[in-house]
Amino acid sequence: MKLYDLEPSGNCYKVRLLAALSNIELDLVAVDFANGEHKQPPLSDLNPLCQLPILHDGDLVLRDSQAILVYLAGQYGGLAWWPAHAQGQAEIMQWLSFAGNEVEHSLCAARLVSRFGNDLDKSAALARAAVILPILDAHLAQHEWLAMGRPTIAECAVYPYVALASEGDVDLAPYANILNWLARVEALPGYLAKP
Amino acid sequence: MKLYDLEPSGNCYKVRLLAALSNIELDLVAVDFANGEHKQPPLSDLNPLCQLPILHDGDLVLRDSQAILVYLAGQYGGLAWWPAHAQGQAEIMQWLSFAGNEVEHSLCAARLVSRFGNDLDKSAALARAAVILPILDAHLAQHEWLAMGRPTIAECAVYPYVALASEGDVDLAPYANILNWLARVEALPGYLAKP
């Protein structure tokens, strides 16, 4: 099973993190992002959005880190990381959306500017971060884990760009509950260090 | 089962559309959005992101239209709209992410500016729309439905803001495959007209 991967990408790391935590073996294929390999065939045929990661498992090709998490956890991870019932899936899904929208357009965007020179609007990204971090912190004041009272793919989706916040010049010091949750994720058996 | 609802919202319409297509009864609670009811308790306690829709079913409270689609389809919709296997769920999940990120920050954002006077960057939204619509059109040139060869919650998530594109001054005329797909959705039994 191939993962088209970029080491510093938080979205790729989401998938590598789940694979490490749940003992799923991935064949990592390093993509030459700097030279735009992801924008040319065959990769642009596998994902016309020209983003990474991409998973290739037999006949199945999947784009989008959140979709890949659902597949890997559901297909190979038992019920530990992605349950079979609608209520649990929806509880987790709220945080997959939070990762793919709120976190992506705040912490991830700020890091893309600071670390990789992307031309996104960093001040807008930081303003969004200042809105969502207190909400995340308040949730984690009352919950040990994001959903279902246990680690799930919600952690794999949300942890990476929160853990990498300082690379976008976001200080997590005011958010004690977030810091404690990051430490809990980092103490999970099999945890893979962030990029 | 209560849906805190705003009639013109495409995100709320996603949920109402699934409910109509799959015969799920919802008790619609109209929220006084203009006066900020969603930003005050009790609604801001139900969803600290202060967005609509919010679903309240017994003890369960869910935010995020995509998460609500997963719950309603999984809990009440049989396997027609959200299957039980990982491959199908992940195929659909790609389009839930597409709806919550790519469509939200292009077609939805442009409509929020044009129709509701929101201060988002409309030219950036239109530029994103010009990137994603050809990708969607190319997919629909080869697929009758977004995922799994049949209508699923992917349609409920992606259809609304695509169907409302003209309200953000986006012309769908160049995208014949998208127009044909919109017509197929609109011909589904139980289809609920867009806002």
Side-chain angles (χ1 to χ4, degrees), chain A residues 64 82 89 94 97 101 105, chain B residues 63-64 82 89 97 101 105:
Chain A
D64 181 62
W82 176 246
Q89 290 181 347
Q94 295 179 115
S97 291
N101 185 4
H105 292 275
Chain B
R63 64 165 192 266
D64 181 62
W82 176 247
Q89 290 180 348
S97 291
N101 184 3
H105 291 275

Side-chain angles (χ1 to χ4, degrees), chain A residues 2-17 26-38 43 50-55 65 68 108 111-112 115-116 118 160-161 164 192-195:
Chain A
K2 279 186 194 169
L3 185 75
Y4 292 93
D5 184 48
L6 179 67
E7 203 278 334
S9 157
N11 282 317
C12 294
Y13 171 55
K14 294 175 186 177
V15 178
R16 298 197 307 270
L17 178 60
L26 294 175
D27 180 8
L28 299 182
V29 181
V31 173
D32 186 357
F33 199 81
N35 288 312
E37 188 186 352
H38 58 298
L43 290 192
C50 297
Q51 296 163 344
L52 297 173
I54 304 167
L55 187 81
S65 48
I68 295 171
C108 170
R111 177 176 180 257
L112 285 173
R115 184 160 167 196
F116 303 101
N118 197 303
Y161 286 111
L164 294 166
L192 176 76
K194 65 192 180 196

Side-chain angles (χ1 to χ4, degrees), chain B residues 39-123:
Chain B
K39 294 182 184 170
Q40 297 153 30
L43 290 193
S44 61
D45 293 332
L46 297 181
N47 182 5
L49 293 173
C50 298
Q51 296 164 343
L52 297 173
I54 303 166
L55 188 79
H56 203 154
D57 187 21
D59 288 342
L60 180 68
V61 176
L62 286 173
R63 64 165 192 266
D64 181 62
S65 49
Q66 279 70 236
I68 296 171
L69 290 177
V70 166
Y71 176 70
L72 287 181
Q75 188 76 8
Y76 299 109
L79 295 173
W81 298 88
W82 176 247
H85 59 283
Q87 180 168 340
Q89 290 180 348
E91 241 190 87
I92 292 170
M93 182 68 210
Q94 297 179 114
W95 295 103
L96 301 186
S97 291
F98 186 81
N101 184 3
E102 279 81 6
V103 175
E104 182 86 11
H105 291 275
S106 60
L107 301 175
C108 170
R111 176 176 180 256
L112 284 173
V113 177
S114 298
R115 183 159 167 197
F116 302 101
N118 197 304
D119 67 352
L120 295 165
D121 182 343
K122 188 175 169 187
S123 64

